Amino acid sequence: MSANTASTEHAQADATGELSALRRSIDNIDAALIHMLAERFRCTKAVGALKARHAMPPADLAREARQVARLRTLAHDAELDPDFAEKFLAFVIREVIRHHEAVARTEPGS
């Protein structure tokens, strides 16, 4: 085996090890995201039940606008694409409102 081949194989092994470490970090972050989303939805479920009991509308457009602005700023500060952050939040909000509407159909007093 030539020195060049050994060097290439060593570099490949280093890259593979680094890739594995990065993927472990990504897997940990994904797990944390899932747990954080689950906690967020537990809270929004309670909000939906409260809104239904008090005949409040499932959506709060003024709060949504404030949240979008806040998350866009956070994304910018974190060097994350603010458009992506807004799209992600919009997806979450749509799901929350869907849950709130379902609760409103089943909660007494709604």
Side-chain angles (χ1 to χ4, degrees), residues 40-67 92-110:
R40 189 185 195 289
F41 277 95
R42 278 190 282 281
C43 291
T44 59
K45 182 178 179 182
V47 167
L50 178 67
K51 285 180 171 185
R53 284 193 308 274
H54 295 280
M56 299 167 87
D60 182 341
L61 299 180
R63 173 162 167 75
E64 289 174 31
R66 288 190 308 272
Q67 284 296 92
V92 171
I93 289 171
R94 279 192 310 273
E95 190 66 13
V96 167
I97 291 170
R98 189 180 69 78
H99 290 175
H100 288 185
E101 289 169 343
V103 169
R105 288 190 297 271
T106 61
E107 275 290 318
S110 58

Side-chain angles (χ1 to χ4, degrees), residues 29-89:
I29 293 164
D30 287 347
L33 283 170
I34 294 300
H35 287 281
M36 303 251 334
L37 282 170
E39 183 61 25
R40 189 185 195 289
F41 277 95
R42 278 190 282 281
C43 291
T44 59
K45 182 178 179 182
V47 167
L50 178 67
K51 285 180 171 185
R53 284 193 308 274
H54 295 280
M56 299 167 87
D60 182 341
L61 299 180
R63 173 162 167 75
E64 289 174 31
R66 288 190 308 272
Q67 284 296 92
V68 166
R70 184 172 85 71
L71 263 62
R72 287 187 67 85
T73 298
L74 288 170
H76 178 268
D77 293 348
E79 298 181 12
L80 177 68
D81 179 3
D83 291 336
F84 169 78
E86 184 174 347
K87 288 174 191 172
F88 178 76
L89 180 64

